[in-house]
Amino acid sequence: MTTYLLAGGGTAGHVNPLLAVADGLRARDAAAEVLVLGTREGLEARLVPMRGYELLTVAKVPFPRRPDRAAAAFPTRFLRAIAHVRRLIRARGVDVVIGFGGYAAAPAYLAARRERVPFVVHEANAKPGLANVLGARGAAGVGVAFEGTPLRGAREVGMPLRREIVELDAAATRSEAAAHFGLDAARPTLLVFGGSLGAVRLNTAFGGAWRDVLDAGWQLLHVTGQNSDLPDPDAAGYAVVRYVDRMDLAFALSDLVVSRSGAATVSEINALGIPAVYVPYAVGNGEQSLNAAASVRAGAAILIADADLTPERVRGEIVPLLRDDARRAAMRDAAGRTGIRTGTENVIALVDEALAR
């Protein structure tokens, strides 16, 4: 029996691919022991037990960004975290560690190296996090979701995705999806969304230009986010919803998507072969623009800066795209060539290679 330790967490970007790989390992071998290492503070503390996996925890020890009291205490706290994970690896007979970034990953990589246990790194973003930069230096395998991610020894494997996305048959599900949102399956549909909390810029732009979308002969499915107060004009063909818990149905109905460009979002849209307009989140270190870069280069998507997305820009650039069937068809073909639905299997193949050595 093989014992796997999957390390990572903090945000959905780390937890969701971790859980996809955990599910893949368990589906392949029910006798395998799949353990998860995370922190008590991260999203994994809730999601991992809900999915039926045992969560082992390690102290959250952020890398210091400036010389202060926390920086002075960092070396001791980090060494304690590594020692704690080493004890877990020995006690549970861990055969291989798979890291996805986040606070739990860095001590897991170093503990595995010191225990001479192979470890594999998966990086979801085009701009890698510090933990994975560190881990890639000694990893038995490094998988990345996006081509060109600057990690040593990286292999493009795609993103481990939710099964409902991987297995989605959009054509077969389109009628169900249209009925779910109160729209017409026979009309082309533009999906606009900015995440569970929404995106003010997207809401403002399409709140001012939704009539132009409808005048182009399209429907608009607008997911505004739970915190939005955008009014619903109750117009035929314009579905305003605060939150969607069935994104598979939203994607099944979509002929074009306008969204942020988080790593999972880009990976899911490409995997489904949907042309896209990405509006990267302007806060952060620019990773969302980098996540979309390969899709833009391939011709599967176009990029509009957050500050530039206005109702006028929607009318001037996105509405003409709705009327250009040939261009959208070319984008759809490019997305189909770019997308990877086998991210979970590809990461597991890296793990098998590491174990075989």
Side-chain angles (χ1 to χ4, degrees), residues 2-268:
T2 304
T3 299
Y4 303 91
L5 180 64
L6 281 62
T11 66
H14 294 136
V15 178
N16 287 337
L18 182 156
L19 288 173
V21 171
D23 290 347
L25 291 168
R26 186 164 61 181
R28 185 179 71 166
D29 181 6
E33 185 169 23
V34 181
L35 307 170
V36 178
L37 179 73
T39 68
R40 294 183 180 87
E41 298 86 356
L43 196 60
E44 65 274 15
R46 179 173 61 88
L47 296 184
V48 168
M50 283 176 57
R51 196 75 145 255
Y53 296 103
E54 182 180 355
L55 177 67
L56 310 175
T57 59
V58 64
K60 177 180 175 180
V61 187
F63 287 102
R65 303 292 181 180
R66 56 183 180 273
D68 55 14
R69 184 176 298 179
F74 172 78
T76 299
R77 295 183 63 212
F78 192 57
L79 288 173
R80 285 176 182 165
I82 295 169
H84 174 66
V85 181
R86 291 185 69 180
R87 289 192 293 271
L88 291 175
I89 289 173
R90 291 195 298 266
R92 302 305 293 266
V94 171
D95 296 295
V96 62
V97 171
I98 313 163
F100 296 84
Y103 292 113
Y109 297 145
L110 294 174
R113 181 185 298 175
R114 294 181 185 183
E115 291 298 314
R116 299 188 177 181
V117 168
F119 63 94
V120 168
V121 172
H122 182 267
E123 175 57 58
N125 283 293
K127 185 171 184 177
L130 188 57
N132 282 349
V133 171
L134 173 69
R137 295 172 183 169
V142 179
V144 296
F146 298 108
E147 177 187 2
T149 301
L151 280 179
R152 182 180 299 180
R155 183 190 307 177
E156 185 185 5
V157 297
M159 179 79 79
L161 300 174
R162 298 173 287 171
R163 296 309 305 175
E164 60 265 30
I165 298 299
V166 172
E167 297 171 358
L168 179 64
D169 183 336
T173 313
R174 189 175 179 94
S175 293
E176 176 190 352
H180 183 81
F181 295 109
L183 294 171
D184 183 351
R187 293 178 61 193
T189 302
L190 173 65
L191 169 64
V192 176
F193 72 98
S196 61
L197 299 180
V200 173
R201 186 74 66 177
L202 271 66
N203 290 345
T204 301
F206 283 90
W210 62 268
R211 291 182 181 85
D212 301 273
V213 173
L214 270 58
D215 289 345
W218 281 58
Q219 301 174 122
L220 175 56
L221 173 55
H222 189 171
V223 185
T224 63
Q226 294 172 316
N227 292 343
S228 172
D229 57 1
L230 185 74
D232 182 354
D234 195 25
Y238 181 25
V240 178
V241 294
R242 301 294 179 215
Y243 177 76
V244 172
D245 58 5
R246 290 290 307 274
M247 280 304 295
D248 56 320
L249 294 182
F251 284 139
L253 190 60
S254 302
D255 299 286
L256 178 71
V257 173
V258 179
S259 73
R260 294 301 197 196
S261 49
T265 297
V266 174
S267 297
E268 290 182 348

